[in-house]
Structure formats: structure tokens, C-alpha cells
Amino acid sequence: MTLAIIGIVVWIGLWALNVMLARWLTERKARIVVPIIFGLTLVLVVELVVTGLNVPFVILPKPSEMVARLFTSLPMLWADFAQTILKGALTGYIMGCAAALSVAFLASRSDFLRRGLLPLGNFVAALPVVGLAPIMVMWFGFGWESKAAIVVSMCFFPMLVNSVQGLAATSAIERDLFKTYAATPVQQLSLLRLPAAMPFILNGLKVCTPLALIGAIVAEFFGSPSFGMGFRIKTSVGSLSLDLVWAEIIVAALAGTGFFGLLLIVERSLTFWHPSQRR
Amino acid sequence: MSVVSAQGLSLTYPGNIEALKSVDLSIEAGEFVSFIGPSGCGKTTLLRVVADLEQPTGGTVLVTGQAPEEARQARAYGYVFQQPGLLPWRTVEGNIFLPLALMGQNRAEAAGRIADVLKMVELDGFGTKFPWQLSGGMQQRASIARALAFDAELLLMDEPFGALDEIVRDRLNEQLLELWRATRKTVLFVTHSIPEAVFLSTKIAVMSPRPGRISKIIDNPLPADRPLGVRETTAFLDVAAEVRAALREGMDE
């Protein structure tokens, strides 16, 4: 009980520290320091409260136990990460997004395709595609291929809708301008429509990032070899090794955040001109 | 030989809307012709027909002695739109380079020309800025520089200064006049400002709506050398009055 109360005191203390730091530091430093302190506060408070109130291990392990498990199981976590994120999610993500972009190019050339495909796309995007997982496992087997297939089907339509919108995002004046220059269709695509579509394409890539993670992990619940992040989460819950479950969740969160951050950097450098990115 | 000529040019949109009806026109090399009229009189449409951005439904048009489409393919004209239409991901230099790049020049070949046209519109020093870092007037000047980049003999301008405030507009009018005197390009200039038309043009084509047509062509007797002060002279005001009368007449018919 005392520990729980200490936890609350710690929380209030660090909160006050953050408020003061936010006032003293330059905005740039505060943007980095304040979230770190906030995160540490959260971990520390959970640690103290969980210890102090004797929260059962299966309900919530202590953060220290999660981190300890993370470091003692590194080889296993790496194998799971490689199987689920690198093979399943990333392969599917690249295939799905590339396919969607190619179809978007075709659709932007053909009114028929666009009118036919987009309503269908909106319909399919609204389906809980994870429901397809058992079917994909039947089709493509237990390996990472079926996970990649799920990810393809989850990423394809959001990416397509964004790309088609992006490729149509030029103004009448810009199109007329290229016409007065007698530009070829290829020139118009590479110098006008593709650059204009970039903000939309990157938006699509950002939307698809968490979808790919969810798809690859959840699909493993429906059948997988004896490793992989989804497999590990499912079996570890069964054997009450909740620290390992949380360690996997930490890995997934780090992978997702890291990749998203990478996309933000790419976005910043490619679409610096867009009103949302200008400084 | 006329640079732009039209005989019985008509354009009827679906729904029997006559945007242009039997327009006859002949513009000689080196002329500065303004097209003035109320909205809906077809002045922009006429310019777009010359540029091959609209297809006429009757009559003939010749641009530099060719059909509009051939003239467009031959890059016979530069077009300045109502908005600057600069690509935001390209610098000002990059935007001016665009038409040259489309013609197959590389950046090094074009560098001299880009510097020249930037100087012509008094934007030297701003070449490495992005369009959104410039004011509206500067952006429009950059778009004029872009239209000048490949040195076409014919310049088509569709209300290029319509969205700018009067002070900037006066300055740009002066610059445009100087530019025209220096290069003697043939200019077709759409406007709905009487002072602008009288100040800039050698000829003023007054247009009237429903159906869109040229109701009167007024020769401007003002000398080619026109300081801004010319607008207070009686000669200027007389031409302006004549244009205003012609506009009113066109509306009453």
C-alpha cells in the first residue's frame, strides 16, 4: 500500500517537473525531454502501483519483469520479429502498396477502371479483412506467405483510394499548362501528377503501416509455424507467461513506431512544399 | 501575314450556349490586342480557342499560319493564366525551366535563358525561392517569366493581373509594357479593366455577351512610349470613354 502511495507521489512530482521543464527549456529540447520523462513516469508509477497493490502476474506483470523478459529472450524475440514483421508484414506491405500504386496509375488513365474499382475498393476497405485470415491460411499454408497475403489484402484498397485521389489532385490550370507545352503523357505523369500525388501516397503508406502490423500478427492466431509474434502471444497467454506477451507487444510497438517515424522523415523530405509540411 | 486570324469563328457549348458567334479577327505581328468585355462575353474562351484548349464548333482559326493544334505542338505561344499555376515543389527557377525541360533542354543549357527572363520580370535573386515563399504579384511575374522562357513570338494572357491589388497591378502593367516594347512580341490580353486595356494596347477588341462576339475594334492612338502618367491625359480619357461607350452599346443590343 505504501508503495502505491509513493507511486502517486512520484507521479505528482514528475508531473510538476515536466511542467517546469516545458516552461524553462527551448521548444526543441522540451519536445524531446518532456515525452521521455512522461514515459518514464508512467513506467515507474505502474511498477510501484503493481508492486504495492500486489496485482496478480497474469493481470499485469511489473514493467521490470517485462523488460527483463525482453532481454533474456532476445534470440527468440528476434526470430519472431523476423518471421512476422520482416517476412509477413513488410513483404505484404511492399507488395500490397506497390500493386495498389500500379493499379492507381491504370485507373488514372481509364475512367472505366476508376468508376468500377473505387466503389468496390471502399466496400472491401470497410470489410474486417482479418476475417479472411483463416481462408488465406487454407490457401497459402501456415508459413509467412499467408500472413503476407492478409497484409496485401488489408493494405491494397486504402493505398489504392489514396493514390487514385492523389493522381487526380492536379488543378485545371496545371493540366492546361502542360497541354500548352505539348507535354507527352509520360512527361505529364512524371513532372506533374506524380509529384502532386506524393502527399496522398505517403498518407496511404502511413495508414497502411498499423494495418500491416495488425494483419500479420492476428493472422498467426489462425495457424502458423511454432514461432512468430502472433503465435507467441497466443501460446504464451495459454501458458500464463504474460511477461513474454508484453515483451512481444513492446517489440511490435517499437517496430511500428520506428517504421512510422521513417515514413515521416521521407514525407518531410519529399513533400516539404505541401501546406501541411511548410515551416 | 497575320499572327492570329479567325473567320466566322463560333463555339457553341452543349445546351445551345453560344460562347462565341461568328468572330472575325486579324492580328498582325507586334500588336498588343486587349479583349475587354463583361463576364460571359467569351473573351477567355476566344483565347483558349487560339491556344487549342477549346475546340471551336464553326469557322476557322489560324495561329502563326497553322491550325491551333499544330501551333500548340510547335510551342508557338506562351500562355499566362489567371492564377500563377506555379508548381509548388519546384523553385522559381525550376518552374521557369519546366517548359525548356519539356523541350529537351538540360539545366546547364537553360541557365542563361532562365537568368535573362528572371531579370526581365525583375525577379533576379529570387530564383531559388519556392513559389509559396513569394507574394501574389511576384508569383504572377514568375509565371510571366515562365511564358517568356522559350521565346515564342506570341503571348496569350488571360486576366493575368485580375487577382492583384491596384498598386501591384499598375507596376506590373508598366513592366509588361516595357517588356512588350523591348521584345515586340504579339500579345493577346484578356482583361475587364478599361484603364488596363487602354494603357497597354495598340488595339482594343470590345466584346459583348449572349452570344459572345466582338462588337467593336478600337485602334489606340496613344504613342508606344507611355509612362503611367499618360492615364491622366485627355487622349487617354477619350479612348477610355470610347471603350466604355462601346461596352455599353454591346450590352444594350
Side-chain angles (χ1 to χ4, degrees), chain B residues 36 194 198 204 206 216-221 234-249:
Chain B
I36 189 167
I194 298 175
V198 178
I204 300 157
V206 179
K216 193 171 186 186
I217 293 182
I218 298 170
D219 280 308
N220 192 340
T234 29
F236 184 95
L237 296 175
D238 286 347
V239 184
E242 197 183 344
V243 173
R244 187 168 286 117
L247 279 170
R248 194 160 302 155
E249 227 169 84

Side-chain angles (χ1 to χ4, degrees), chain B residues 46-91:
Chain B
L46 178 58
L47 206 64
R48 290 175 62 85
V49 168
V50 172
D52 188 39
L53 295 172
E54 303 276 352
Q55 299 311 316
T57 47
T60 56
V61 202
L62 287 179
V63 181
T64 60
Q66 318 159 77
E69 174 164 17
E70 288 164 9
R72 178 171 67 82
Q73 296 291 351
R75 282 122 173 175
Y77 64 84
Y79 199 106
V80 180
F81 293 87
Q82 287 178 25
Q83 276 101 45
L86 300 165
L87 304 180
W89 52 87
R90 286 177 162 252
T91 59

Side-chain angles (χ1 to χ4, degrees), chain B residues 12-251:
Chain B
T12 309
Y13 285 117
N16 216 22
I17 300 153
E18 293 186 297
L20 292 172
K21 193 178 180 189
S22 48
V23 170
D24 296 319
L25 189 67
S26 175
I27 297 170
E28 303 302 317
E31 278 191 303
F32 194 124
V33 183
S34 285
F35 294 85
I36 189 167
S39 28
C41 71
K43 51 195 193 298
T44 294
T45 309
L46 178 58
L47 206 64
R48 290 175 62 85
V49 168
V50 172
D52 188 39
L53 295 172
E54 303 276 352
Q55 299 311 316
T57 47
T60 56
V61 202
L62 287 179
V63 181
T64 60
Q66 318 159 77
E69 174 164 17
E70 288 164 9
R72 178 171 67 82
Q73 296 291 351
R75 282 122 173 175
Y77 64 84
Y79 199 106
V80 180
F81 293 87
Q82 287 178 25
Q83 276 101 45
L86 300 165
L87 304 180
W89 52 87
R90 286 177 162 252
T91 59
V92 169
E93 273 174 6
N95 270 288
I96 296 171
F97 175 53
L98 178 71
L100 302 173
L102 291 171
M103 290 171 196
Q105 286 192 32
N106 65 41
R107 192 64 179 252
E109 283 170 357
R113 183 67 195 159
I114 294 170
D116 285 350
V117 291
L118 272 176
K119 199 165 280 172
M120 275 188 220
V121 298
E122 294 180 13
L123 274 182
D124 28 345
F126 291 94
T128 53
K129 292 263 189 263
F130 285 93
W132 33 274
Q133 296 169 322
L134 305 182
S135 68
M138 290 164 95
Q139 288 184 26
Q140 196 54 280
R141 259 152 51 200
S143 88
I144 293 172
R146 179 179 59 189
L148 294 171
F150 52 98
D151 210 21
E153 282 311 303
L154 178 60
L155 205 52
L156 307 176
M157 307 180 88
D158 182 10
E159 288 187 46
F161 310 136
L164 304 175
D165 66 69
E166 202 163 339
I167 301 160
V168 176
R169 193 173 181 149
D170 280 354
R171 182 82 193 97
L172 291 185
N173 278 340
E174 257 185 310
Q175 283 180 358
L176 180 60
L177 198 60
E178 267 166 42
L179 199 75
W180 171 74
R181 279 217 313 269
T183 58
R184 285 291 164 168
K185 289 184 187 303
T186 313
V187 184
L188 273 65
F189 188 93
V190 167
T191 179
H192 46 220
S193 154
I194 298 175
E196 192 172 68
V198 178
F199 180 65
L200 291 171
S201 329
T202 57
K203 245 188 206 177
I204 300 157
V206 179
M207 299 187 68
S208 53
R210 284 174 294 274
R213 66 200 182 280
I214 295 179
S215 48
K216 193 171 186 186
I217 293 182
I218 298 170
D219 280 308
N220 192 340
L222 295 177
D225 187 23
R226 298 172 196 173
L228 261 188
V230 80
R231 297 187 299 181
E232 272 79 49
T233 63
T234 29
F236 184 95
L237 296 175
D238 286 347
V239 184
E242 197 183 344
V243 173
R244 187 168 286 117
L247 279 170
R248 194 160 302 155
E249 227 169 84
M251 291 295 275

Side-chain angles (χ1 to χ4, degrees), chain A residues 51-114:
Chain A
T51 316
L53 297 181
N54 284 322
V55 176
F57 181 75
V58 290
I59 299 297
L60 188 61
K62 286 176 225 159
S64 59
E65 289 167 332
M66 301 175 194
V67 175
R69 190 61 197 242
L70 182 77
F71 282 103
T72 52
S73 314
L74 273 181
M76 185 187 2
L77 289 172
W78 169 254
D80 292 348
F81 173 80
Q83 167 76 5
T84 306
I85 306 282
L86 297 185
K87 288 184 184 160
L90 196 59
T91 313
Y93 180 82
I94 293 171
M95 283 167 60
C97 292
L101 200 55
S102 322
V103 174
F105 282 134
L106 296 178
S108 76
R109 301 285 303 160
S110 139
D111 231 24
F112 172 74
L113 253 184
R114 188 165 58 239

Side-chain angles (χ1 to χ4, degrees), chain A residues 137-160:
Chain A
V137 173
M138 299 274 273
W139 287 356
F140 297 103
F142 287 131
W144 59 267
E145 293 86 348
S146 57
K147 317 308 176 284
I150 290 290
V151 173
V152 168
S153 59
M154 285 182 85
C155 291
F156 184 77
F157 281 104
M159 186 66 191
L160 178 70

